[in-house]
């Protein structure tokens, strides 16, 4: 399942094909994604210009000249392919992409000359149109906590959100109301980098008054560092792809703990072994020797 860095990489990949460009034609080959596509979807997009392509948590947001916002989510297996008029693929964004045209559900023909195809074998992805002036009340987005890479997300904010929380620190970080867009992989990696056990109580990063302890600062720094590094990885594979015209998408992620059960810890000086436990039904990978 794509996490925030993958979605940000997709956004950057779509930007040149879509931002400032008009929808010439929209083909809907299959409208029953996670939810049915909005009524008159193709007609509402046709002729409008994408004035900005943004992201909130794992949602892509295309601001339209029609006054609506197109909200897109990749779900479990969604990907976008961008083709230029020459018929040459210029990019495929997201690694679980399927090459089967049978899963090409929505096709945007843009005034840039690019064709942007949404492919999704499992159809957990979604597209929704909402009016810009009703956007703040949009239920998909209005309960979300701050963006982890935004300035609003800092140690003081995280400590306040975790104050008195009797859940594990890992569960708190996966709670989208605490911080938006973090998933299992990057929570495991950030906790490892901060040397904090995923099992410790969420409340232990704050003092009684809800002020951040030093470990809250370490944790916030670690979250920002792992996300930025992953986006940079995605970004560099994007550039490599443009040069070689090969098949983009396979991120060369170098995880420190994620999916490394039984392997040696990579923390310098640590002789621990990466362990897998299950928390709230999901695998957690961590090093019991250096994460306390
Ligand atoms: Zn270790």
């Amino acid at each position: 399942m794509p996490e925030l860095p993958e979605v940000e990489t997709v956004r950057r990949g779509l930007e040149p094909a879509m931002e400032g460009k008009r929808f010439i034609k929209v083909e809907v080959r299959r409208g029953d994604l996670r939810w049915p596509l909005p009524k008159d979807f193709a007609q509402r997009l046709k002729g409008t210009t994408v004035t900005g392509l943004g992201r909130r948590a794992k949602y892509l947001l295309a601001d339209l000249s029609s006054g609506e916002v197109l909200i897109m989510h990749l779900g479990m297996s969604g990907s976008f392919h961008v083709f230029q008029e020459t018929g040459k693929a210029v990019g495929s964004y997201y690694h679980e992409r399927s090459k089967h045209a049978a899963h090409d559900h929505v096709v945007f023909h843009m005034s840039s000359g690019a064709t942007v195809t949404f492919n999704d074998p499992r159809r957990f992805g979604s597209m929704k149109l909402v009016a810009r002036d009703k956007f703040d009340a949009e239920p998909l987005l209005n309960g979300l906590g701050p963006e982890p890479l935004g300035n609003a997300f800092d140690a003081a904010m995280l400590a306040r959100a975790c104050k008195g929380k009797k859940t594990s620190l890992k569960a708190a970080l996966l709670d989208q109301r605490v911080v938006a867009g973090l998933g299992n992989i990057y929570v495991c990696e950030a906790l490892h980098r901060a040397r904090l056990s995923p099992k410790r109580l969420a409340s232990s990063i704050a003092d009684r008054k809800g002020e951040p302890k030093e470990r809250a600062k370490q944790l916030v720094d670690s979250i920002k560092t792992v996300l930025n590094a992953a986006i940079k990885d995605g970004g560099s594979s994007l550039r490599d792809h443009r040069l070689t015209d090969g098949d983009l998408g396979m991120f060369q992620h170098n995880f420190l703990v994620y999916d490394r059960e039984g392997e040696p810890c990579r923390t310098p000086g640590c002789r621990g072994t990466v362990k897998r436990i299950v928390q709230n039904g999901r695998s957690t990978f961590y090093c019991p020797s250096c994460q306390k």
Side-chain angles (χ1 to χ4, degrees):
M1 187 162 186
E3 291 203 22
L4 187 150
E6 287 80 14
V7 178
E8 178 57 25
T9 300
V10 170
R11 191 194 69 74
R12 293 178 186 189
L14 293 179
E15 216 170 24
M18 294 184 75
E19 201 169 70
K21 310 297 189 291
R22 212 159 19 90
F23 290 93
I24 302 286
K25 190 173 109 184
V26 174
E27 289 176 61
V28 175
R29 296 181 184 167
R30 187 151 184 177
D32 55 335
L33 302 179
R34 180 166 189 174
W35 305 292
L37 286 177
K39 198 169 178 287
D40 303 324
F41 183 71
Q43 291 86 331
R44 280 157 77 182
L45 290 179
K46 192 180 169 185
T48 64
T49 299
V50 177
T51 54
L53 190 65
R55 178 189 58 74
R56 174 79 170 105
K58 295 197 279 187
Y59 293 93
L60 293 165
L61 307 173
D63 257 298
L64 306 175
S65 58
S66 61
E68 293 192 296
V69 182
L70 171 61
I71 305 175
M72 300 179 280
H73 196 281
L74 297 171
M76 306 285 284
S77 57
S79 64
F80 283 96
H81 306 193
V82 179
F83 293 91
Q84 278 300 338
E85 235 170 11
T86 55
K88 253 189 157 182
V90 293
S92 302
Y93 304 105
Y94 195 53
H95 52 80
E96 282 175 19
R97 80 188 199 84
S98 155
K99 288 178 182 171
H100 293 290
H103 303 302
D104 289 346
H105 304 311
V106 180
V107 185
F108 301 141
H109 298 269
M110 305 303 298
S111 60
S112 56
T115 302
V116 177
T117 304
F118 181 67
N119 181 292
D120 187 1
R122 296 181 65 183
R123 286 184 290 115
F124 280 106
S126 61
M127 293 192 188
K128 187 172 180 179
L129 281 166
V130 299
R132 176 38 82 180
D133 57 12
K134 295 197 174 105
F135 185 77
D136 290 343
E138 169 51 40
L140 289 175
L141 300 159
N142 68 4
L144 293 174
E147 282 291 311
L149 291 173
N151 291 334
F153 182 65
D154 60 13
M157 189 272 139
L158 184 60
R160 266 197 310 278
C162 288
K163 185 194 161 201
K165 258 197 193 304
K166 298 299 171 210
T167 56
S168 68
L169 188 51
K170 189 199 177 199
L173 294 176
L174 286 175
D175 182 344
Q176 301 298 300
R177 293 165 299 182
V178 171
V179 53
L182 281 187
N184 205 32
I185 295 174
Y186 295 104
V187 166
C188 290
E189 293 292 306
L191 285 167
H192 178 71
R193 202 187 153 81
R195 308 281 172 261
L196 295 174
S197 168
K199 297 195 288 187
R200 74 163 41 246
L201 282 181
S203 57
S204 68
I205 65 162
D207 66 17
R208 276 159 203 253
K209 286 188 245 159
E211 298 291 327
K213 292 186 183 170
E214 188 54 34
R215 58 176 77 104
K217 291 175 191 150
Q218 284 166 8
L219 183 54
V220 165
D221 283 350
S222 300
I223 290 167
K224 291 181 190 271
T225 301
V226 297
L227 292 177
N228 278 321
I231 291 169
K232 199 160 163 272
D233 275 2
S236 56
S237 61
L238 196 69
R239 280 195 299 279
D240 292 347
H241 173 75
R242 290 247 159 89
L243 292 174
T244 60
D245 210 31
D247 213 7
L248 163 86
M250 202 56 88
F251 285 175
Q252 302 299 313
H253 284 321
N254 231 335
F255 297 128
L256 292 177
V257 284
Y258 188 79
D259 211 16
R260 293 193 63 240
E261 184 184 13
E263 293 178 43
C265 176
R266 287 177 174 161
T267 299
C270 178
R271 294 166 168 243
T273 302
V274 176
K275 190 176 171 185
R276 185 182 78 92
I277 58 170
V278 175
Q279 292 177 289
N280 305 89
R282 311 202 47 196
S283 289
T284 298
F285 298 88
Y286 78 113
C287 172
S289 301
C290 64
Q291 288 179 250
K292 299 294 182 190

